[in-house]
Structures are given as C-alpha cells and as structure tokens.
Amino acid sequence: MVPHLTTALTGPLLELEQHILSNTAKIERWFRSQWHAHEAPFYTSVDLRNSGFKLAPVDTNLFPGGFNNLNTDFIPLAVQAAMSAVEKICPEAQQLLLIPENHTRNVFYLQNVARLASILRQTGLEVRIGSLIPDLTEPLTLDIGDDEHLTLEPVIRRGNRIGLADYDPCAVLLNNDLSAGVPAILQGIEQKLLPPLHAGWHVRRKSQHFTAYERVAQEFAKLIDIDPWFINPYFATCGEIDFHARQGEACLEKHVEFMLEQISEKYKQYGIESDPFVIVKADAGTYGMGIMTVKSPADVRDLNRKQRNKMAVGKEGLQVSEVIIQEGVYTFESINDAIAEPVVYMMDHFVIGGFYRVHTGRGVDENLNAPGMHFVPLAFETPCCTPNQMANPDATPNRFYTYGVVARLAMLAAAIELEQ
Amino acid sequence: MVPHLTTALTGPLLELEQHILSNTAKIERWFRSQWHAHEAPFYTSVDLRNSGFKLAPVDTNLFPGGFNNLNTDFIPLAVQAAMSAVEKICPEAQQLLLIPENHTRNVFYLQNVARLASILRQTGLEVRIGSLIPDLTEPLTLDIGDDEHLTLEPVIRRGNRIGLADYDPCAVLLNNDLSAGVPAILQGIEQKLLPPLHAGWHVRRKSQHFTAYERVAQEFAKLIDIDPWFINPYFATCGEIDFHARQGEACLEKHVEFMLEQISEKYKQYGIESDPFVIVKADAGTYGMGIMTVKSPADVRDLNRKQRNKMAVGKEGLQVSEVIIQEGVYTFESINDAIAEPVVYMMDHFVIGGFYRVHTGRGVDENLNAPGMHFVPLAFETPCCTPNQMANPDATPNRFYTYGVVARLAMLAAAIELEQ
C-alpha cells in the first residue's frame, strides 16, 4: 500500500519526476563526483514534503531515530551500506559503542536503537550500548516488546577514552543529537566519534543547512534544467528573538510578509491555486518543538501568551532565541484520508529505505513530526534504488527513486555543512 | 526451501561455522584492511563445495553468467553494490557498453545479460549491448521469454574507441571470458575495460588463482585459528600434457597418487570415512569442459581414446595442454535427493546473493557445471550479509554468511591474481 497524491500528477511534479527519471545517468554521475569531493555523514534521515507541484526536504537529521520503521525486507541494504560507512570512516574499528538518547520510556525509540545495533552487528562489529543517563550506575535491561530486550550500560571515562566497565571501543556512534550541549564525558576523547560532535544541535543550525542546500539545489537544478524552486523551499532567519519579551517580532513579521509574496508569485507563475504559508521554527534542534504554521504576517504579530510560550521552548526545555522562517510545502500525499509525509533513510551515501509518517489528525500544512504526535509508520514498499525506465514517472519505484534523489541532495548539503 | 547437509553437522564444518560466526568482528575488520590494499574485481562468482567437513571454492569466475538465477528480492543489493563498483572503478562513466558471449541460442544466458544490464541501468548508467558475433551487421533482437527481448548490436571500432553505430561509451564491461583470445577489435582500445583483458581465460590459469587463494586461506586460517585445509583444496599442476600423444601422463599419475595420499591423511586425522578423490581439469577455461573425477592413479594411467578426446578439448574447441589436479571436495548438500552446489555472486567486494545448482543426475563427487548439464537454479533464500549470532551456526542466514566469507576469500585471491 502506497499513499497517493491527491493532486493530479500532470503538473510540475510529474515534470520533475520525468526530468529526474530521464536524467538518471547524468544525476548518478554527478552524485559520484560529489561523493569524491565530500564525505557523506555516517547516517542521515531526511523529511520530505510532496505537494504535487513541489518536492522538498524540510528537515535533515544526522542522528536518525526511526530505523525500527524501515521495511525489514531491506535490512540487507542497510547492512551493506553500513559496511561501506564503516570501511570509509573507521576501517580499523572492531568494537563500537553506540550512545543513544536518554529516553528510556519511549519504546519506539528503544526499538530504533536495537535495530540500529543489529544492523551494525551484521556488518561484523561488536556493538554495545552506552548510556549517558546521569544516575545510571549499573546495566539497565529494558523490555522493548516482542520478547526483545535492550541493555544500556553506564558510559565510563578512563583518561581520554570512554567505554563500559569491561569494554574499550575503537569508535563511538552517537544516536544522541546533543541538543543540551556536549556532556563533559564526551569532550576531548581520543576515539573516533561519529557523527563528529559539531553535528549536534548545540552547534548545528537549520539555516546553515539550508544555505548549503540552496547551493546544492541550484547546481542540481542547472544540471537537469529545472527551476530550483521545485526542490528548494525559501528560507530566512532573524537574529535574536525573545518571544517572552516580544523582541524581534518585527523582523519576523517582515520576513513572513516578504516570503508569502515570493511564494505567491511562484504559485501564480505555475498556476497553483493553494494558499501560500510559511513555517516558523527554532533554528537549532529537532523533534518538531517550537513550530508554527503562518499564513499571514498578522499571525506572528498577535501571538498570545500560550503561543509565545510554545515557541519559546525547544527540546530539553532550552530557550529558543533563533528561528528560521521557511516556505511551507504542502503534503498532498495521503492514505485512507490520513496525511502521509515521507522520511528517507541513508547510511554512507546510499539510500537504504524510508517510511511514511501517517497521521489522521493533522492538516496538509502542519508539521507531522511534533511532540505528542503519534504517527503510524508505513515502511516504503520498494527500495529507492530501483528506478524503472519502462514504467510511468509516478510509478511507485520511480516515485521512491525521486525521493531518494532529493534526500541525497539534502544529505550532500549536510556533508558540506559539516565541513564548514 | 534450503538444501540440507546429509552429513550430521557435528563435525569439522560446524566447528568452522562456529569459528567464523564467533569471529565476525575480526573477519570483517580483516576484510576491510584487505580491500584497502587490493581492488576487488568488478564482479565475481565463486562455485563452492560443501562436504560437511570442508567448505572450499572450486572455481572463481570473473565473468559471471548467472545473474538471472539470483533471488529478485535482493536485486537492490546488487544495484547498491554495482553503484560502489562503478564509483571506484569508473566514476566518470555515464554510458556503458556490455559485451556478452556470442551465445544467441542459450536463452538462460541471454536472461543473465538482460538482468545484468537492468542492474547496471538502475545504478544510473546508460547501457547497451554490443556483440562480437562475427557476421552481425545490424541490431539483432532476441526473444528471451516472459515477453522480454534483448537487442544485440554490432560493435564498431573507430580509431582507438569501440562503440555502436550511434553510441560512444565511456566504459566497456565484458561478460565474455575471452577463452579464444582477445579479438582484434578489443585490442589497444582507450576506454576503460572491465574486468581488464588479462582476466580472460586466454591468460588466466586456475593454478595461479589457487596459488593466490592458498596464501589468502593460510592468512585467514591463522586469523581465526583453524586448519587451512578446511577451506583450501590441495592442488598441483603438470607442465605440458598432450592427451592424444599420451605425453605427460606419468606426471599426472604421480601427482594424483601423491594427492590422494595427502587427502587420506587428512581424512584419517579428522575421522572422515569418505573415499578421497581428485579432479583433473584444464588449467585455463571454464564451463566444466575437460573435467575428470579420479579416485586412483590407475584412472589416469589407462585412459581410453574417448576419455583422452574428452580431456583434450576445452571451450571453443581449444586444445587442452595444461591441467590442474585439485583435491575433490564432496557436495554433501542435497534437496529432494538431488545434489546441490552453491554459487555465490559478488559485485565490487559485496556479496549480493547466490543460488544452488541443483542436479538429480550427478554424483556427489562430480562437477555440476559441465556441458549438457541442465541444472535447476535455486536462489538463496536469505542474503549472505545477515549473520545472526542468536541462531545456531548452521541456521540458514549463518550458513549463507559462511558461504559469503569463503567466497570473498576466493574473490580476494582473484584480486591479488589480477595484480600480478
């Protein structure tokens, strides 16, 4: 079962898919040259939005947390891609320490950790799970359903190395996005850390990512001769904002107004009859906290206390002071009346699969990755690496191939972002 | 459905599988270091024999011809591995010319070519099929069953480049083993040729391959502390032999006698009650021509005219003058009373799957890849990259993982062989 696009596929997206499909040779060659120049992150997930007339990444995660949602049929693809990643990034590694987030109650997240550990073990690595939970003093075994268990062990520092009580790993893989900063125990360690510490949300900014993405999208659009807008959402940033003190709102309002105009012009140019909207969200951090859908400058002018409070607090209760204003891209994919948003998973520079976040209670212009949002994952039915030139551009393997191409563009942007 | 071993798995093979499974971290790390030092062939297939007490490669093919026999579920693995191969070996390639064997009547072989072309197209390459059939002057479209067709086009030489009438490829992939030598049209061309011309059977010798394999097997056996004999068949060569003139038979007889003694000693050492046997076959070439099962020196002493004729002629009617004498390894895998021999497929240095040659009419000590041998292919049920430490060493994914390890050893030997 694959979600269908509610817009008729005769508009710009079909054109985009056709362009991508008829240029696969050029595209793959171009990617090959890019991966000679840039090192892909160890792993990446990209949230896409498909409006029928536009297909764009809206978030690129360097600590993907949904490996449990992937189609188990394609796990071998993940294992093979992980082998490539290990080869390139830490060929000498034999023991790996995986450090997840400190969520012990989110069984879905724990299933993600278990799946990830299992993929890495199948590449031949020894893998144990080290936890940064502050008061953990001995191994903690958690039930993760299906008669499976996950054991978290306290991470121990010895000089410039970290490990477990009886385990001295060669490399450390973070599945923890460091939103709250780099814990002292991880600072200055001599082992290889994957991804590097500066991939954490304590340093990373969405605006830096989308600056890099804009360049990548422009080069790619030129390569296959399309308007880059089809794959690139507008964005802008405001400097310091204090939602409580109502400082910086004028900047926000001005950017929102300008961006809505820009989008309107593009909609007019392509005969699109939807209402333009923008998303305002924290420039750092993830988990869809502090996110607002805005359809008019007035929406940010008259924030009430509740809205201001919501915007002001990000993950781990951190104050949001920098925001990104991003063109809203409609999700016009749905399945049984529920909205579906594709998420593409990659290891090394290979697309290993993906899933849809399927949600009945949200609108086509809302973020589907928000707190309290219990989406139903729907694994991709086919892999993203099997385009079929004989089939229609919107046939399932071709749609997923296109998703894989746009997701790889976002991953390439992340690779460039990490170099800076 | 997976073939079962008719010998009880309590002997040396179970020990081998256990050893391999409990050393995956060491093994995969060792392979990573090997692939940093040696370039894997573009593609490779390895015939294995599993006697229950010994698991060994008996033939390593650098022009695999059975892609059509692989499990279609794992084609994405092949696509991903092919992407790696293209990246490393010919990143700049966009158009590829695939040159198959000249068999136009073997529909299975043509299906192999079609499948291979399809995998390569899914990596984003443009692929067309160029044929070396001498009298081909215009495109020839062949029915390959299932409403599919394959078009062969005459290869044309322009200066130092080859191509088709309207096609100038950046790279050329041979699926033609050059048994009859390098045709003039391929000599001195400037395009990248994969595999290199010296991988053809006009140059390659099985004895060189097994010399390289012996070194690889010894290093590997030391790594995981096993007797290398468990994975390495004895072999020897005689210089020039003329079966018609009955020259060189004394050398053959002497080697057969000595090798049977060596095998007997090993059988005694491990309490194996089977009868030792050796295989005598052409040192160059494939397709199982000119192959003999020998259980006593007398077998090669008293060859009758028919046997001599059979041994003297290899593929494409070429005279066999060099032979290799190789320890025979029993095939003790069977399915519904039919003998089954695993064949493992690899692209770049990744195992992408495999199949069994299943044959009812042959014995456990005979070669299953022989002329006129119509085997039934049985695709591997699981990939070879998903070992499961929780399951028994002889559980299906683990048996296939072990096959993948031994096949990769043979591929590594081929990589070293090609460097020389």
Side-chain angles (χ1 to χ4, degrees), chain A residues 240-266:
Chain A
E240 292 286 299
I241 286 192
D242 185 332
F243 283 98
H244 289 303
R246 313 194 67 154
Q247 279 167 11
E249 284 185 10
C251 166
L252 196 57
E253 193 184 332
K254 199 188 68 197
H255 275 301
V256 165
E257 186 174 5
F258 179 65
M259 195 174 290
L260 288 170
E261 274 167 26
Q262 280 182 299
I263 304 169
S264 279
E265 274 172 37
K266 282 290 181 188

Side-chain angles (χ1 to χ4, degrees), chain B residues 65 72 183 307 321 323:
Chain B
T72 51
Q307 287 168 319
S321 63
V323 299

Side-chain angles (χ1 to χ4, degrees), chain B residues 142-297:
Chain B
L142 298 161
D143 185 351
I144 59 170
D146 280 335
D147 276 335
E148 287 193 79
H149 296 85
L150 189 73
T151 299
L152 307 177
E153 300 180 72
V155 174
I156 287 166
R157 175 111 178 198
R158 295 181 202 88
N160 285 334
R161 298 181 72 81
I162 58 167
L164 306 176
D166 58 345
Y167 192 63
D168 182 37
C170 337
V172 178
L173 179 64
L174 294 172
N175 197 251
N176 180 316
D177 70 16
L178 307 175
S179 287
V182 180
I185 199 169
L186 293 184
Q187 286 171 15
I189 66 166
E190 65 184 45
Q191 287 131 312
K192 180 97 179 174
L193 257 172
L194 304 167
L197 287 177
H198 63 280
W201 277 123
H202 65 298
V203 177
R204 241 185 119 205
R205 291 295 173 267
K206 289 188 172 71
S207 51
Q208 282 163 2
H209 175 68
F210 283 100
T211 302
Y213 181 75
E214 186 157 53
R215 274 176 40 209
V216 167
Q218 273 165 358
E219 192 178 330
F220 178 81
K222 205 172 157 191
L223 179 80
I224 64 164
D225 193 24
I226 55 165
D227 182 343
W229 179 74
F230 287 140
I231 53 171
N232 186 25
Y234 292 123
F235 77 95
T237 50
C238 281
E240 293 285 299
I241 287 193
D242 185 333
F243 282 98
H244 289 301
R246 315 196 65 155
Q247 280 167 9
E249 282 184 12
C251 167
L252 195 58
E253 193 183 331
K254 198 187 67 197
H255 276 299
V256 165
E257 186 173 5
F258 179 64
M259 193 174 290
L260 287 170
E261 274 168 25
Q262 280 182 299
I263 304 169
S264 279
E265 274 172 35
K266 283 289 180 187
Y267 279 16
K268 227 174 281 169
Q269 181 184 343
Y270 294 109
I272 294 158
E273 296 189 346
S274 307
D275 287 334
F277 71 102
V278 303
I279 295 283
V280 177
K281 56 188 173 181
D283 200 11
T286 175
Y287 288 85
M289 301 184 88
I291 289 197
M292 207 168 28
T293 298
V294 178
K295 296 201 167 177
S296 122

Side-chain angles (χ1 to χ4, degrees), chain A residues 363-377:
Chain A
V364 293
D365 55 2
E366 286 181 285
N367 187 291
L368 302 194
N369 189 14
M373 194 212 72
H374 299 293
F375 65 85
V376 181

Side-chain angles (χ1 to χ4, degrees), chain A residues 243 246 249 292 299-305 307-308:
Chain A
F243 283 98
R246 313 194 67 154
E249 284 185 10
M292 206 166 29
D299 292 351
V300 291
R301 196 183 306 142
D302 306 315
L303 290 181
N304 60 31
R305 172 175 291 275
Q307 288 168 318
R308 288 205 307 271

Side-chain angles (χ1 to χ4, degrees), chain A residues 324-343:
Chain A
I324 177 171
I325 302 119
Q326 191 175 45
E327 176 185 348
V329 181
Y330 283 98
T331 286
F332 282 158
E333 281 185 289
S334 65
I335 187 160
N336 299 337
D337 292 331
I339 302 300
E341 183 185 65
V343 188

Side-chain angles (χ1 to χ4, degrees), chain A residues 396-413:
Chain A
T396 304
N398 291 337
R399 202 202 292 177
F400 288 150
Y401 176 71
T402 307
Y403 287 176
V405 169
V406 176
R408 281 185 286 167
L409 296 176
M411 170 167 63
L412 178 57

